[in-house]
Amino acid sequence: MNRCIRFAAAFCVLLLAALLVNAARVQLVDAHAYGSDPANRRIPIARYQQPRGDILAGGHRVTGSRDAGGQFRYRRTYADGPLYAPVTGFASQTYGSTLLEGTEDPLLAGTDPRLDSVPLWNEITRRQQRGGDVYTTIDPAAQRAAFAGLAGRKGAVAAVDPTTGRILALVSSPSYDPAELAGTGPAAIGAWSRLTADKDQPMLDRAIRQTYPPGSTFKVVTAAAALESGLVKDVRARTASPDPYRLPGTRVSLTNEGPGCVDASVYDAFRVSCNTVFAKLGADTGARAMAGQAERFGFNDTRLRLPTGVAKSNFDTAMGPDQVALSSIGQFDTTATPLQMAMVAAAVGNGGRLMRPYLVDKVTNHSGLTVGSTQPQVLHQAVSGRTADQLQQLMEAVVTSGTGTNAAIPGAVVGGKTGTAQHGLANVGTPYAWFISYAKPRGSAVATVAVAVVVEDAEAVRADISGGGNAAPVARAVMRAVLGQSTFGKLKP
């Protein structure tokens, strides 16, 4: 063998070694990245070659799969699509997946390792499991009551079980039918163009992804901060609160919608929703204590997952006294999702303990064997039990003799708080109507359900728009739907 042949042979061996090293790198190191690359069409083609697992509410399947033939063989179907769209999201061969269809996609598609009967067996054999099922915490009766209550108006509803954090209802209006986005043809493309161009944003999940100024519903947090800090010891004692109230360091005076707020007690000021009393209370409590209390109710948390992501509800941590005063009545930069305000009501109704909200009860394999479940967890001790009792007195007075009488349910104890949130340039936008509440059987120490409702485009003249008039009846319908199924369920019509 001459020298040239030896060099050529050595070079070939070197190339072969490089080829083997690169093949090993692709197979062992980069395989996951290539497999999860959205540009890799082999993944969705394989995913839709078999029926997806289903999403269930109240034990009933609200999704399905239909054999449509073609490369992407199985197309997603939805039962009551607009009703459950804020929970399920959509699964589209063209536009990907969102909400539970997105966060639970590995389980629904059959690629989740928890579905393996033998660990790593499917990874080794490249065999695809049948998709598993996702059991949500949604109560269909509460979901339908919330959807019917909004009746197409722009807004959202969130309802939770205060003792566990189970989400009972998540409704966003206007909604859309996720089935329109399934498939790959012109119909799906046209639906996507129409829905994404709609100025009412029907695909926006307003219950968890949209924040609003909470208006007077935030006075629950302000009252909690004043009680926890010791600034207020007796909710029925008169306060030193002028009307109008000049914001600290400014020439701007704050007023009220009605009379009776001069030096009003916290009890009366909460019942008739005096801005002046609570703005001064917040300024006197101070920015640090107010921010700390808001965060114990869940504000400023960027890590909350249901498992779908939740938008951060905001309470500024650095403000001047005038800004603290405005923030304390739910204005300035204070914003909250409907879910966040349902969490506030839930913590009050649960003796001060805030449970972590969750949307998935359990997941199973195709045979029905549970492969994962969610256990209730305490998120924060928002307030002490004594403060929670005092807050319950305030919220229940709103429903018995205040601005929230439209939420009253005969046979049940209901606590609530109304809110009318100004917004837009110079506050010229149609005010948002809010109502947050909880309900429990008489004699019970803790609430059975907590609800938050926001209505963006209440159909009323501006002066008549209020949380009590527009949002409270929706909350009442949701609470009745949940209580009607509880053990005491003997509600009067």
Side-chain angles (χ1 to χ4, degrees):
M1 183 180 295
N2 62 35
R3 184 177 180 186
C4 291
I5 293 177
R6 287 200 301 273
F7 281 157
F11 185 64
C12 289
V13 169
L14 182 62
L15 289 177
L16 180 61
L19 181 63
L20 292 174
V21 169
N22 190 53
R25 179 184 64 82
V26 170
Q27 292 288 334
L28 300 178
V29 180
D30 295 337
H32 179 73
Y34 287 125
S36 58
D37 190 332
N40 184 354
R41 283 177 57 82
R42 294 176 61 87
I43 302 303
I45 290 173
R47 176 172 296 145
Y48 289 103
Q49 281 300 301
Q50 65 175 15
R52 284 169 70 82
D54 284 325
I55 298 173
L56 295 90
H60 302 288
R61 297 179 188 277
V62 298
T63 63
S65 296
R66 179 171 63 86
D67 189 349
Q71 197 174 43
F72 296 96
R73 182 174 174 183
Y74 285 92
R75 180 178 299 182
R76 201 58 156 161
T77 62
Y78 296 87
D80 292 322
L83 174 63
Y84 291 106
V87 176
T88 63
F90 62 79
S92 167
Q93 290 96 328
T94 307
Y95 300 106
S97 53
T98 60
L99 300 178
L100 284 185
E101 290 277 30
T103 59
E104 299 299 322
D105 181 69
L107 184 119
L108 294 167
T111 60
D112 191 315
R114 290 176 295 176
L115 298 174
D116 295 349
S117 53
V118 177
L120 300 178
W121 177 249
N122 291 321
E123 283 76 3
I124 296 171
T125 62
R126 300 290 184 185
R127 176 173 170 268
Q128 189 172 6
Q129 285 270 17
R130 288 289 301 273
D133 293 331
V134 178
Y135 287 73
T136 71
T137 58
I138 293 294
D139 178 335
Q143 186 79 1
R144 283 193 293 270
F147 193 76
L150 287 175
R153 293 175 295 176
K154 194 183 297 182
V157 179
V160 301
D161 179 344
T163 61
T164 61
R166 297 173 69 244
I167 294 178
L168 303 175
L170 275 184
V171 166
S172 180
S173 177
S175 188
Y176 70 104
D177 189 350
E180 292 186 282
L181 300 174
T184 57
I189 296 172
W192 176 265
S193 299
R194 173 172 49 80
L195 291 169
T196 54
D198 192 327
K199 62 180 178 59
D200 288 334
Q201 298 179 282
M203 288 198 294
L204 172 63
D205 193 336
R206 290 176 165 82
I208 60 173
R209 297 279 177 84
Q210 179 69 40
T211 60
Y212 304 86
S216 292
T217 58
F218 193 79
K219 290 171 183 171
V220 177
V221 180
T222 303
L227 288 165
E228 289 284 281
S229 67
L231 182 66
V232 172
K233 294 182 172 59
D234 182 358
V235 296
R236 294 180 184 269
R238 295 182 69 80
T239 61
S241 305
D243 183 9
Y245 168 62
R246 179 173 289 186
L247 298 177
T250 75
R251 295 183 177 180
V252 178
S253 291
L254 195 65
T255 59
N256 298 293
E257 292 290 331
C261 293
V262 178
D263 298 335
S265 67
V266 170
Y267 182 88
D268 287 329
F270 193 90
R271 186 172 57 81
V272 299
S273 203
C274 296
N275 286 333
T276 50
V277 174
F278 280 91
K280 184 175 186 298
L281 206 58
D284 292 346
T285 301
R288 176 176 294 185
M290 283 295 303
Q293 184 60 73
E295 289 173 358
R296 286 192 291 278
F297 274 115
F299 281 77
N300 296 339
D301 187 347
T302 60
R303 297 172 297 176
L304 191 62
R305 300 287 184 274
L306 302 178
T308 54
V310 178
K312 186 191 84 167
S313 296
N314 182 71
F315 188 88
D316 286 352
T317 55
M319 292 183 284
D322 56 323
Q323 296 165 334
V324 176
L326 288 175
S327 297
S328 300
I329 57 172
Q331 299 288 345
F332 189 55
D333 285 343
T334 303
T335 56
T337 61
L339 176 63
Q340 170 60 73
M341 295 315 295
M343 291 164 61
V344 171
V348 173
N350 192 37
R353 179 176 292 185
L354 176 61
M355 304 301 292
R356 181 182 295 278
Y358 62 97
L359 185 56
V360 175
D361 195 11
K362 67 176 181 179
V363 292
T364 69
N365 64 14
H366 182 65
S367 301
L369 180 67
T370 298
V371 297
S373 61
T374 306
Q375 299 302 317
Q377 294 180 341
V378 176
L379 186 60
H380 297 293
Q381 184 68 42
V383 294
S384 68
R386 183 174 184 275
T387 296
D389 287 342
Q390 292 172 302
L391 293 173
Q392 288 185 18
Q393 292 176 32
L394 302 181
M395 293 184 70
E396 288 164 18
V398 169
V399 176
T400 56
S401 59
T403 56
T405 54
N406 282 339
I409 301 174
V413 177
V414 179
K417 184 69 194 82
T418 55
T420 306
Q422 311 291 336
H423 71 101
L425 187 63
N427 289 336
V428 297
T430 303
Y432 299 140
W434 275 93
F435 192 74
I436 66 172
S437 60
Y438 64 82
K440 59 184 177 183
R442 293 195 182 282
S444 175
V446 295
T448 304
V449 56
V451 185
V453 178
V454 61
V455 180
E456 292 187 34
D457 54 353
E459 293 181 355
V461 297
R462 184 184 178 97
D464 292 337
I465 294 173
S466 69
N470 296 281
V474 182
R476 179 179 185 272
V478 176
M479 291 186 292
R480 278 189 60 87
V482 177
L483 291 174
Q485 302 170 75
S486 65
T487 52
F488 94 111
K490 296 179 180 177
L491 299 176
K492 298 177 182 178

